[in-house]
Amino acid sequence: REEISFYFSCSTISNANSIICDEQVNSLSKPKWEVCCFRHLRVRSPVRDQKIRLIFRPKKERDPNRKWEKMWSMWFDILLQAVMILGSIFMFLWMHDIPKKLFTELHRRRNSSKYEAKRRFVVAAQLLSRARSASDRTLASSAVEEADRAIALDPSDAASHILKAMALHFQGFNASAIDSLDAALSPLAVKSLSDEEKADALFKRAELRIETSRLGNKGKKKNKGEEMVVDDHDEALAAAGVEEDLVEVVKLRPGNAKAWCRLGECRKAKGMTDAAKEAFEAALKADPESKAARDDLDRLISS
């Protein structure tokens, strides 16, 4: 049966409460039954007795896993509500086009430094052009300062490093100019250069190394009181790093006759006659009207 009812008679409400709390009534609650409710039934009689109905229903066995089920259900509801809230926020942002506006703003701020760096680069190029026209080193120094500002804003732009090197070379600071070209050809900045631009930077660095080595040799011999000899040029061509730069130049730009001539001179200075001959022949192949390459090749053959 689903429930069992017992009826008791008592004269007052207080007696009814005492019956409910009585041990005899509690003893009626078997292990598999429990008191679920009681009701007062008023009966019209001369003695105005009241009847109490106690209702017993079967006890529900408690499942130990039900606690965990309730907990997991609670957390699932919380997670579901969080997902719904996030979804609502995303829909609100999407409807008002906020993500696109935010991305545009971030992109603008990211490019603002590059834009300012380009502007500084243009100013430095103008100053260097004016310095060359007027042979004014003060303008060249200002060009270096503007190039430094451009580099500070965008260190990965090799053009600013190359422009700084040209301005430093105009002032006669060859060692610093070589350092700037090294920065332009570093892995960080060289990616911004095309093959032709990279070849030009390498050739410029090779020329500066030759010039720096030649000036260094003259200074050493002057301090020692030695006479200047003709092989200063050959010693400068044999400077460290020159041949490597020139080899890389002719790989990137095989049609650069001037680079082939320099490479032939460098190899000739090192005593590499056959390699120098091949370089001069390549220079003539790139530019058949190159007088320097033809003269160097004739001297090499006749020697």
Side-chain angles (χ1 to χ4, degrees), residues 1-296:
R1 297 180 62 182
E2 294 184 358
E3 61 182 33
I4 301 175
S5 300
F6 292 90
Y7 296 89
F8 299 90
S9 296
C10 57
S11 58
T12 62
I13 298 298
S14 60
N15 290 338
N17 293 334
S18 64
I19 289 175
I20 294 173
C21 299
D22 198 318
E23 292 183 359
Q24 294 181 358
V25 176
N26 291 335
S27 64
L28 293 173
S29 180
K30 303 298 181 183
K32 294 185 178 180
W33 297 82
E34 61 183 353
V35 178
C36 60
C37 63
F38 71 93
R39 297 176 183 174
H40 297 279
L41 302 178
R42 296 181 179 273
V43 180
R44 293 182 179 181
S45 62
V47 294
R48 302 180 64 181
D49 289 344
Q50 294 187 7
K51 289 192 175 183
I52 299 175
R53 180 188 177 191
L54 294 181
I55 302 174
F56 292 82
R57 288 180 182 174
K59 284 185 177 181
K60 295 181 180 179
E61 296 183 0
R62 294 183 178 179
D63 188 359
N65 295 326
R66 186 166 180 80
K67 180 180 179 181
W68 295 105
E69 290 178 359
K70 290 182 178 180
M71 184 177 295
W72 283 114
S73 177
M74 180 185 67
W75 282 110
F76 178 77
D77 292 341
I78 294 174
L79 181 62
L80 183 61
Q81 292 177 8
V83 171
M84 293 177 64
I85 292 172
L86 291 176
S88 302
I89 294 174
F90 177 78
M91 289 296 295
F92 174 80
L93 296 175
W94 181 76
M95 290 174 62
H96 291 79
D97 207 15
I98 294 177
K100 184 177 179 181
K101 293 178 181 178
L102 182 61
F103 178 78
T104 304
E105 180 65 19
L106 292 175
H107 186 69
R108 186 188 67 80
R109 290 187 178 183
R110 181 182 178 184
N111 291 335
S112 60
S113 61
K114 291 186 178 181
Y115 174 79
E116 182 65 19
K118 292 294 184 183
R119 192 182 72 82
R120 296 287 185 181
F121 172 81
V122 172
V123 173
Q126 293 174 348
L127 289 171
L128 180 59
S129 178
R130 290 168 54 192
R132 286 175 173 174
S133 300
S135 298
D136 189 353
R137 292 193 175 187
T138 305
L139 292 174
S141 179
S142 300
V144 172
E145 292 177 0
E146 290 295 331
D148 283 331
R149 293 189 182 98
I151 292 170
L153 292 169
D154 188 10
S156 61
D157 187 11
S160 299
H161 294 283
I162 295 173
L163 181 62
K164 179 182 177 181
M166 295 170 64
L168 289 170
H169 174 59
F170 179 80
Q171 297 179 81
F173 304 132
N174 291 346
S176 299
I178 292 173
D179 292 338
S180 295
L181 288 173
D182 290 340
L185 295 169
S186 64
L188 176 64
V190 75
K191 296 178 181 179
S192 63
L193 296 176
S194 63
D195 289 344
E196 293 184 357
E197 292 172 340
K198 182 180 178 181
D200 291 340
L202 287 166
F203 184 74
K204 183 64 176 178
R205 186 170 68 176
E207 290 284 321
L208 285 175
R209 282 175 172 172
I210 292 172
E211 183 177 349
T212 303
S213 179
R214 185 185 305 158
L215 293 174
N217 292 336
K218 285 183 179 180
K220 289 179 181 178
K221 292 183 178 181
K222 185 177 180 180
N223 291 334
K224 292 181 179 180
E226 298 179 3
E227 295 182 357
M228 304 302 296
V229 291
V230 184
D231 62 354
D232 284 338
H233 184 65
D234 293 341
E235 291 181 8
L237 288 169
V242 174
E243 184 180 2
E244 290 78 2
D245 285 347
L246 293 173
V247 169
E248 189 66 22
V249 171
V250 296
K251 283 182 180 179
L252 296 172
R253 296 186 64 182
N256 192 335
K258 192 173 182 180
W260 280 112
C261 282
R262 280 296 189 189
L263 181 60
E265 293 173 359
C266 180
R267 289 174 174 174
K268 179 183 176 183
K270 292 183 176 181
M272 304 165 61
T273 306
D274 295 337
K277 183 179 178 182
E278 292 177 359
F280 291 134
E281 290 174 351
L284 288 173
K285 185 178 179 179
D287 184 10
E289 297 181 358
S290 176
K291 186 176 181 303
R294 189 172 299 278
D295 292 341
D296 288 334

